[in-house]
Amino acid sequence: MTDLAPSLRWREGLICLAAFAASIPAANWLIGHVGTTCTPDGLCLIPVAPGLMAPSGVLMAGLALVLRDIVQRRLGFAWGLAAIFIGGAISWAVSPPALVAASVLAFVLSELADLLVYTPLQRRGLVLAVVASGIAGIIVDTLLFLYLAFGDVSYFWGQAVGKGWMVLVSIPFIAWLRQRDRRIGLAPLGVLGQGGFK
């Protein structure tokens, strides 16, 4: 490990933690302000695939799954877990009143699903871990939120595809990050906060 690696680990970890926390209010803001179509009740939609529309906030929800993985890689399991509960509190504070329970429960459980899939898979490879945990988080978040908020999961595919785009877009960065970490000798932190597996 280079002399700069420990400070680089903390700096990048804290930046990703801040970005993770910011993604939650950003998702709520996007839903009401950015889209190719906005409904009279203030929901703004974007196309995510031919024939599929989703609330614009799904982009930030997908990004949050990736950022939490990087927080865990840089700062360790305990920080990754803490990020979930910090994010849940932020979600509680910024979600529309009618959607608070659905937003918080879907957020916390999807991030926990992401954490539980990511943790053992990061030993095999960062890209595999981020993609597989992202898929798990997307499925849990989308199904829970739609069911709890609206009692209807018919918009599952639009939501899932929108979140999935952010995971897919992150793959080149994640692959670069892994290669750079190997080059400078910066091993990811282990499950209990120790470094050493790749």
Side-chain angles (χ1 to χ4, degrees), residues 57 61 79 82 96 112 118 123 130 136 191:
W79 278 93
L112 284 171
Y118 175 82
R123 294 181 184 116
V130 168
V191 173

Side-chain angles (χ1 to χ4, degrees), residues 2-25:
T2 67
D3 291 342
L4 297 175
S7 65
L8 180 65
R9 176 190 304 283
W10 276 99
R11 185 172 56 247
E12 289 180 357
L14 293 175
I15 288 168
C16 287
L17 181 60
F20 172 79
S23 71
I24 299 157

Side-chain angles (χ1 to χ4, degrees), residues 169-184:
V169 166
S170 76
I171 290 173
F173 172 75
I174 297 298
W176 171 84
L177 182 67
R178 182 175 184 199
Q179 291 302 319
R180 189 205 62 173
D181 288 356
R182 282 185 175 172
R183 189 176 66 248
I184 65 173

Side-chain angles (χ1 to χ4, degrees), residues 57-80:
V58 299
L59 299 177
M60 290 294 106
L63 181 61
L65 293 166
V66 174
L67 288 169
R68 202 227 38 88
D69 291 343
I70 298 172
V71 167
Q72 181 176 341
R73 182 176 176 84
R74 287 294 183 254
L75 302 178
F77 182 84
W79 278 93

Side-chain angles (χ1 to χ4, degrees), residues 96-113:
L99 301 178
V100 167
S103 293
V104 173
L105 194 58
F107 175 84
V108 170
L109 292 179
S110 67
E111 290 289 342
L112 284 171

Side-chain angles (χ1 to χ4, degrees), residues 48 52-55 57-59 61-62 65 102-111 113 133-165 167:
V48 294
L52 284 178
M53 300 288 283
V58 299
L59 299 177
L65 293 166
S103 293
V104 173
L105 194 58
F107 175 84
V108 170
L109 292 179
S110 67
E111 290 289 342
S133 65
I135 291 168
I138 287 167
I139 292 169
V140 171
D141 183 61
T142 304
L143 286 175
L144 274 177
F145 179 75
L146 290 173
Y147 181 75
L148 294 173
F150 308 110
D152 180 6
V153 295
S154 60
Y155 293 106
F156 173 82
W157 288 111
Q159 296 258 341
V161 168
K163 293 168 190 169
W165 280 119
V167 174

